[in-house]
Amino acid sequence: MQKAFTVVQTLLCHAACASIVLYTLPDFGIRPMLQPSLSALTTIVEQIARTGDPRDVMGNIVQRLRELMQVDVCSLYLCTPDHQHLILAATEGLSANAVGKAKLKLDEGLVGHIAASLSTLNLGDAPTDDRFVFIPETHEMPYHRFLGVPLLHLRKLIGVLVIQGRERDPFPQEAEAFLITIASQLAGTLSQLQSQGGWYEKRSPRDGYRRFTGLKGAPGLGLGKLWLVRPHLSLDQIDAACSADHDAEKAAITAAIIAVTEELESGSGHLGQHLPGDLNALFSVYQMMLQSPELSQQILARIDAGDNAPWALKQTISAMAEQFRQADDPYLRARAEDICNIGQRVLNQLLSSERPSIEAPDEALILAGELISIADLAEFPLHQIHGIICTQGSVLSHTAILANALGIPAVMGVEQFTPEHHRGANVIADGHRGECVLNPPAPLLAEYRRMIDEEQRFMQELERLRDQPAVTTDGFLVNLLTNTGLLADATPGLQRGAEGVGLYRSEIPFMIHDSFPTEQEQFGLYHKVLKAYAPRPVNMRTLDIGGDKQLPYFDISESNPYLGWRGIRFTLDNAQLLISQIRAMLRADVDNGNLRLLVPMVSRVDEMQSFRRYVEKAVDALNRDGHPVRMPEIGMMIEVPSAMLLLPRLAPYVDFVSIGSNDLTQYLLAVDRNNPRVSNLFDHLHPAVLVALEQIHQQCEALHLPVSLCGEMASDPAAVLLLTAMGYSTLSLSAYNIPRIKLLLRSVSRESLQPLLEQTRQCNSETEIRALIAPLLETVGWSQDKRPGLLAKGAETAP
């Protein structure tokens, strides 16, 4: 539902622009009712939000558009799954019997011409046009005026939207502009409906059985009861609502305010000297605002007037923030943001109190929601989570990355799925195909159970390779390390043969805390991880927040967070936090001796200079205090292109290099990996990324710097083959994928990969590169869904 209302907001924004055009251009004879109203457009998309059946949704669209534009006919044609034909999917004005039957080739008739040319067509007498094709079952002969626009989503043709009338002159330009605007906004929604399949067929109900298509977040198959993870709503998303139980609402808001007050007191108290001055001041400002009588009195007054607690909170916070924004004093104007942050904290508390408890602690669950956070996952026993379904996000969202690390099947970006409507239903999360299956019928359920059992047996077969090296048939050894961030992930890594930790994400403990963890709290976590893996190396990355990794108790609002205050930039600006973390890591290394420090988001030489100085000072200070710590090796992550170009100048300050393939790909290609509109352009096999990786490896060899690669690229079999050919001998990946990649490496020779790498240098796209590698993957038994069918020949006998 929330996704649909996001569509509402976008559509209204564009509609407002269209309204301005219509009201300011000269009158070309367009009828007054053709001028769109915001309320009418809201009605259209609310219908989309409230209707589940694709045919009903499309019917609502054409009905509302016909009424809004006061035309005789409004019709929607969609491409068939094979993309060879257009079928009449919905109409108001033509014969209803033609829906699902009237079919045109992509270059046939006026509609086919629009599809083939991807251009708008506006005619005054359509039947006289040479391209016109009469379809008898539509009964469209009385209509002469014709306007059609293509529906395009992410460079893909979805269908054609058409309006028709009895007049014999073209539609006005204003109508054409408006229909183009509407088409551009509806194309995404219609693309999702189209992807479900069967939208033009009359289907009999099958106990709610439905398939929904999303993105492959993490491989595997999971079956369980759907458990709704309540979305973390913002104040802006709260809608007007009433309540009959005023006392309960007042008690809830009072309890939420008290809880936030206690949070702030404990946050500023137990951190003490580790907080920078501006953070201490922020806590004080927040506490003063919370204790203001005006805040609670205004909220309670609105509840007495009939509002429920969230709506009363939103109205009060909005009014107070606006008062601050109107102030002449710049300091007071800046407080508007603070009061909004306070309101969000109170709202989070208010909503968290509504979360139901888990009644069946041993039942298999599929967690579903908009974007499931690390904190959400931490509330459930790991063995109980059999799958994750998110209606937002992408393959490289941190939810998907964590699911990969924990071996939990995940499907991301399932936009047309509304989990709140299916609480407790049987659901399958198919991470191999990027699908979720709701209420599967008995035969299908039995087949999925068979596949799950087969996959479990396959993983058990791979256990015999756990202590075997990941070495090619011609003797090239690749060290396979694991990525981790939660203590619970230490066991899977060791069980699956990880030779150490290539990336310990230290921000995860920060993200599941209610406030910044103290040095002692961090020490306890780090010590357990280092001890679990000793003597194997553990690369601990210092705090890397920002971008899509936010702390619930420290809001960072930026217009472009991926290019903003994140990684080493944030920690150097908050040196007390950095020093506290370095000290905790150094102390945890005593008696273990396997710590290696890793610095994220390096883009400048002075960042590494400053970091090394902080580490050296911390080592000296701790030794003086009686802690026998050692100076660990210090590495830098290459994620920002400038770090790659400055590598010779950075080399004196680092002992090793780790390539963060996810962010490096994102920055090289200028593609936000979490933006569904461009995420299809994100591919670490893009030729530019491969060129960069070869250059980095060559530079590191010349500078005698050990280099490794971490990220989802290390789990991609096609990428692993090319990385091996380049000479990368250390990869860090999710524990779940280590046995599979080990099997792959033990099935090939590096010598045979060299010609393949040379051929990829001539390719112009990642599609060509994947097509080039596919035959080799097939020969070693690697199927398209990343599940090798059998142990490849030679895997057990490799040296």
Side-chain angles (χ1 to χ4, degrees):
M1 182 68 75
Q2 188 58 50
K3 180 67 179 180
F5 281 112
T6 302
V7 177
V8 174
Q9 294 170 352
T10 307
L11 183 52
L12 293 182
C13 176
H14 284 263
C17 297
S19 299
I20 293 171
V21 172
L22 293 177
Y23 281 111
T24 55
L25 287 174
D27 184 2
F28 291 110
I30 185 172
R31 286 175 287 170
M33 284 301 294
L34 186 58
Q35 296 174 338
S37 68
L38 296 184
S39 61
L41 290 173
T42 303
T43 302
I44 293 174
V45 190
E46 282 181 350
Q47 289 287 348
I48 296 172
R50 293 172 182 165
T51 312
D53 188 272
R55 297 184 304 279
D56 290 343
V57 172
M58 293 184 286
N60 282 322
I61 289 173
V62 294
Q63 177 188 353
R64 298 299 182 182
L65 278 176
R66 181 193 183 196
E67 294 171 355
L68 175 63
M69 302 187 73
Q70 286 198 342
V71 293
D72 297 304
V73 176
C74 181
S75 303
L76 174 64
Y77 296 81
L78 291 186
C79 290
T80 53
D82 61 6
H83 220 70
Q84 298 298 313
H85 294 86
L86 290 157
I87 286 184
L88 180 62
T91 185
E92 279 290 318
L94 300 183
S95 172
N97 293 329
V99 173
K101 298 178 182 177
K103 181 186 291 188
L104 293 163
K105 295 179 181 179
L106 289 192
D107 57 353
E108 182 182 8
L110 300 178
V111 173
H113 169 77
I114 295 168
S117 64
L118 303 181
S119 61
T120 300
L121 187 61
N122 191 355
L123 301 173
D125 195 359
T128 63
D129 191 283
D130 292 340
R131 295 163 294 191
F132 181 82
V133 172
F134 176 60
I135 304 177
E137 58 261 41
T138 63
H139 300 165
E140 65 176 324
M141 281 307 292
Y143 308 113
H144 295 267
R145 175 185 265 189
F146 177 98
L147 172 60
V149 297
L151 292 158
L152 298 166
H153 179 62
L154 300 179
R155 308 182 187 184
K156 178 184 175 183
L157 177 68
I158 306 302
V160 175
L161 183 62
V162 172
I163 59 173
Q164 294 173 264
R166 296 177 184 271
E167 297 86 342
R168 292 180 181 268
D169 56 318
F171 281 95
Q173 292 299 307
E174 293 88 340
E176 184 175 326
F178 177 57
L179 197 63
I180 291 171
T181 302
I182 288 292
S184 67
Q185 297 306 310
L186 290 178
T189 299
L190 293 169
S191 174
Q192 291 298 320
L193 297 177
Q194 182 192 50
S195 68
Q196 294 182 29
W199 42 264
Y200 55 87
E201 301 170 350
K202 291 186 177 180
R203 296 174 295 173
S204 58
R206 292 180 288 175
D207 299 322
Y209 164 52
R210 296 279 298 279
R211 282 183 179 270
F212 298 89
T213 302
L215 303 171
K216 301 174 184 178
L221 298 171
L223 168 64
K225 297 289 186 183
L226 187 145
W227 184 270
L228 176 65
V229 175
R230 187 177 181 90
H232 300 288
L233 296 176
S234 68
L235 276 173
D236 292 339
Q237 295 170 316
I238 298 298
D239 294 321
C242 301
S243 173
D245 192 346
H246 298 171
D247 291 338
E249 295 293 315
K250 289 195 287 188
I253 194 69
T254 300
I257 291 174
I258 291 173
V260 175
T261 303
E262 292 174 351
E263 274 185 5
L264 294 176
E265 289 176 352
S266 63
S268 60
H270 76 254
L271 283 179
Q273 60 183 355
H274 303 301
L275 277 176
D278 54 347
L279 289 185
N280 265 319
L282 182 61
F283 274 105
S284 299
V285 170
Y286 281 8
Q287 287 169 335
M288 289 174 59
M289 289 181 172
L290 271 176
Q291 294 164 6
S292 167
E294 290 81 3
L295 177 65
S296 57
Q297 288 173 4
Q298 289 183 33
I299 295 174
L300 295 176
R302 290 182 183 276
I303 292 175
D304 283 331
D307 295 337
N308 73 353
W311 180 237
L313 172 67
K314 175 183 178 176
Q315 292 185 95
T316 302
I317 293 296
S318 298
M320 295 181 71
E322 186 58 30
Q323 289 178 354
F324 279 115
R325 292 190 187 99
Q326 299 301 324
D328 294 330
D329 186 284
Y331 176 82
L332 290 178
R333 286 200 300 272
R335 301 287 68 76
E337 182 178 340
D338 294 333
I339 192 64
C340 290
N341 288 337
I342 281 291
Q344 187 62 53
R345 283 172 170 263
V346 175
L347 177 64
N348 293 344
Q349 280 289 343
L350 195 60
L351 297 180
S352 66
S353 65
E354 300 176 7
R355 184 186 180 105
S357 60
I358 302 173
E359 297 179 359
D362 296 326
E363 189 171 36
L365 299 178
I366 303 294
L367 305 187
E370 288 187 1
L371 264 181
I372 296 172
S373 70
I374 294 167
D376 293 326
L377 292 176
E379 294 185 21
F380 297 84
L382 186 60
H383 72 272
Q384 196 173 3
I385 307 174
H386 285 231
I388 295 171
I389 299 172
C390 291
T391 58
Q392 297 183 11
S394 73
V395 176
L396 290 171
S397 298
H398 278 85
T399 303
I401 291 173
L402 187 61
N404 260 297
L406 299 177
I408 300 172
V411 184
M412 309 296 294
V414 192
E415 294 184 344
Q416 288 302 306
F417 185 51
T418 52
E420 59 268 24
H421 295 166
H422 307 289
R423 299 170 189 251
N426 285 323
V427 65
I428 294 167
D430 188 339
H432 294 307
R433 295 176 177 82
E435 290 182 348
C436 62
V437 184
L438 182 69
N439 294 320
L444 184 61
L445 186 62
E447 177 62 15
Y448 267 107
R449 282 180 172 149
R450 185 195 65 77
M451 289 192 293
I452 290 171
D453 291 341
E454 180 183 307
E455 189 167 83
Q456 290 175 346
R457 286 196 299 272
F458 173 71
M459 293 304 296
Q460 290 171 359
E461 289 177 7
L462 286 181
E463 286 184 7
R464 62 173 172 268
L465 297 180
R466 181 181 61 187
D467 299 324
Q468 297 297 314
V471 60
T472 63
T473 56
D474 56 351
F476 184 75
L477 179 65
V478 180
N479 297 306
L480 297 181
L481 312 180
T482 188
N483 303 327
T484 183
L486 292 172
L487 185 60
D489 192 29
T491 303
L494 294 171
Q495 288 178 341
R496 289 176 170 84
E499 299 172 77
V501 176
L503 175 62
Y504 176 77
R505 300 183 178 97
S506 69
E507 63 274 3
I508 294 181
F510 280 76
M511 294 171 78
I512 63 176
H513 263 65
D514 294 327
S515 57
F516 286 112
T518 64
E519 179 181 320
Q520 190 61 28
E521 288 173 329
Q522 293 181 69
F523 164 77
L525 288 170
Y526 304 152
H527 185 268
K528 289 177 181 177
V529 175
L530 291 169
K531 184 178 180 180
Y533 278 92
R536 304 173 185 85
V538 176
N539 296 320
M540 285 196 163
R541 183 176 68 186
T542 56
L543 183 61
D544 184 20
I545 62 169
D548 60 347
K549 293 174 288 185
Q550 297 291 335
L551 299 180
Y553 47 86
F554 190 89
D555 183 47
I556 302 176
S557 299
E558 298 176 297
S559 58
N560 196 337
Y562 287 102
L563 301 181
W565 204 34
R566 59 173 301 196
I568 189 62
R569 300 170 182 174
F570 173 84
T571 51
L572 286 178
D573 287 346
N574 294 275
Q576 292 91 334
L577 293 175
L578 178 60
I579 293 170
S580 174
Q581 186 174 41
I582 291 172
R583 286 172 55 90
M585 290 178 174
L586 292 173
R587 289 171 52 206
D589 187 46
V590 176
D591 300 328
N592 290 312
N594 56 341
L595 170 69
R596 304 202 326 165
L597 295 178
L598 192 55
V599 185
M601 286 297 295
V602 174
S603 61
R604 302 170 55 85
V605 174
D606 55 12
E607 291 169 342
M608 285 309 307
Q609 291 174 325
S610 299
F611 182 83
R612 181 169 281 275
R613 283 197 297 269
Y614 280 128
V615 177
E616 291 170 346
K617 290 179 180 179
V619 169
D620 290 342
L622 286 169
N623 275 298
R624 287 197 303 270
D625 293 341
H627 299 283
V629 302
R630 67 181 181 90
M631 183 69 185
E633 289 186 332
I634 297 175
M636 57 168 272
M637 296 198 73
I638 294 185
E639 301 163 291
V640 182
S642 63
M644 177 182 74
L645 301 175
L646 290 174
L647 193 51
R649 305 182 195 184
L650 286 159
Y653 307 102
V654 299
D655 302 302
F656 65 96
V657 168
S658 176
I659 300 170
S661 63
N662 296 344
D663 272 324
L664 181 61
T665 301
Q666 176 172 245
Y667 291 128
L668 279 174
L669 304 184
V671 172
D672 179 357
R673 65 193 189 195
N674 289 316
N675 184 341
R677 294 180 177 176
V678 294
S679 59
N680 63 308
L681 302 177
F682 184 101
D683 195 318
H684 39 241
L685 289 192
H686 188 286
V689 178
L690 297 183
V691 169
L693 292 176
E694 285 202 78
Q695 291 180 357
I696 293 171
H697 190 270
Q698 292 166 1
Q699 284 194 79
C700 287
E701 276 194 325
L703 295 167
H704 305 291
L705 282 175
V707 59
S708 63
L709 181 140
C710 64
E712 298 313 296
M713 188 175 190
S715 297
D716 181 344
V720 167
L721 295 180
L722 295 180
L723 291 170
T724 303
M726 291 179 195
Y728 281 90
S729 58
T730 302
L731 303 176
S732 185
L733 59 159
S734 66
Y736 181 81
N737 286 309
I738 287 176
R740 302 165 185 264
I741 296 302
K742 181 179 291 188
L743 173 62
L744 175 66
L745 289 168
R746 292 173 64 87
S747 305
V748 298
S749 70
R750 187 185 175 211
E751 183 179 1
S752 67
L753 300 177
Q754 299 294 334
L756 191 66
L757 176 62
E758 180 60 37
Q759 292 176 58
T760 63
R761 294 183 181 124
Q762 311 305 316
C763 293
N764 294 319
S765 71
E766 57 272 32
T767 304
E768 293 179 22
I769 292 171
R770 290 194 180 277
L772 189 64
I773 300 173
L776 175 59
L777 289 174
E778 291 292 337
T779 62
V780 297
W782 198 278
S783 63
Q784 292 301 313
D785 60 5
K786 301 183 181 181
R787 289 181 293 168
L790 298 169
L791 287 176
K793 183 178 179 181
E796 296 184 37
T797 58

